[in-house]
Amino acid sequence: MRNLYSVKAVVLLLVCACVPALEQQEPRQPNKAVPDSFGQTSDGGNSASAPWREFFDDPALIELVDLALKNNQELNIALQEITIANNEVLARSGEYMPRLGLEADAGVEKVGRYTSQGAGDDSTDIVPGRRVPAVLPNYFFGFRASWEIDIWKRLRNATKAAAFRYLASIEGRNFAVTSLVAEIGTLYYELMALDNQLDVLKENIALQTSALEVVRLEKQAARVTELAVKRFEAEVLKNQSRQFELQQQITEAENRMNFLVGRFPQPVRRSSAAFTELAPRVVSVGVPTELLENRPDVRQAELELRAAQLDVKVARALFYPSLSIDAAIGYNAFSVGRLVNTPASLAYGVSANILAPLLNRRAIKAAYYSANAKQMQAVLKYEKTVLAAYAETANQLAMIGNLGNSVQLRTQQVEKLVESIDISNVLFTSARADYLEVLTTRRDALESEMELIETKKRQLSAVVNVYQALGGGWRTAPAASE
């Protein structure tokens, strides 16, 4: 008969612990396959392994990045997120350890006369010559302990999931660092480009002003009309207005840079003189599989996926019976004077509890289904992150090559248009070209110089963007020392 009861108890626990089948799509492992290359031959190296101090060679730019890593508010906020995630690990790790507390209770109790306890109290003569009073105080002083035995590793898996999220928060900050370093580099080259465009514009305004005086003299000599003078005056005024627009862009770019480095608006130190002679850094791209290791956002997505997989195990364990042990030891009496009498007032007890969900398990099922859905979300997010990382890197690599060719052609265009300015001036003074040809030639030359500077800026920014796309910028020390 005893064996029969044991079998029934086991069957009941198994029925209670059964896990429902998933109604949604079964989670799967992420697809980590990437192409063998970025469409070009790999040189075997990878610039992402170089710390940003080695990647940038401009002291002013290095100083700005240094300030940003110390003072940027977004990074400081990310540090607090890391602290919060670390505290969550500590909280989770304490859940599967035994709990021990010091307890002191005091109260009064009045039980019914016609109860087993009331009848027993009324017939007890603990104090000689005096019955126990109907209203009894109750005092307890001692220790209470409880411990949930983590049979199904529910608590330990929850702790591991919190640990993975803590590591993911670190990778999130690393990704923020790469984005910050890249944005500062891009802004720095933008400021240098704006400075050069402003210098070119000022030079052209001076040349156009001189040409305006020549046209005025030509009008006095009746070689041109008032229309030519007005057209040249309008061109000078247009470029003078454009000068203020460039100055506003410089101010906004400087303020954005100051915001990133965590300081109030002030001039940004930079070396813009040799901007057009800057040679883009040669970037080694390595192989696409290195993106999985170098890019913090990919590693963050992977860690979040591992945490989501553990969350499914935690939710599954809720269907199984839980075992907890409770114990208490201390002094218990109805009189303070008798509270510490040993062994008369000494009380202790130990109990073990097994609890399995039987009816109305909707909340547990809902948590289990949600955990599986979130795991699938994490899988898709990881695959999306890997795909975006590859596409971003391939785009920036193609941009470097195309902009390099564009810079060469635009440089030749500027040279030809500068030569055409001298030719148009000679032809105009010899009455073999009208003022419109001179005006158009100067305008085309100015625009070509401005476009050359803009293309040069995009070329230098593309190198920074490739460095970021490969996963560079978050390392602060050489790889060997790491």
Side-chain angles (χ1 to χ4, degrees), residues 34-39 42 285-293 386 390:
V34 293
D36 295 332
S37 67
F38 293 104
S42 174
V285 299
V287 293
T289 53
E290 292 177 319
L291 293 175
L292 307 182
E293 296 295 329
V386 173
Y390 179 87

Side-chain angles (χ1 to χ4, degrees), residues 136-148:
L136 287 176
N138 186 44
Y139 303 99
F140 176 81
F141 174 79
F143 298 94
R144 290 192 184 273
S146 63
W147 185 22
E148 180 178 351

Side-chain angles (χ1 to χ4, degrees), residues 155-178:
L155 300 177
R156 278 171 286 183
N157 285 331
T159 302
K160 290 181 181 179
F164 281 131
R165 290 191 171 90
Y166 164 69
L167 296 176
S169 66
I170 295 177
E171 296 299 341
R173 182 187 182 276
N174 290 338
F175 183 66
V177 169
T178 64

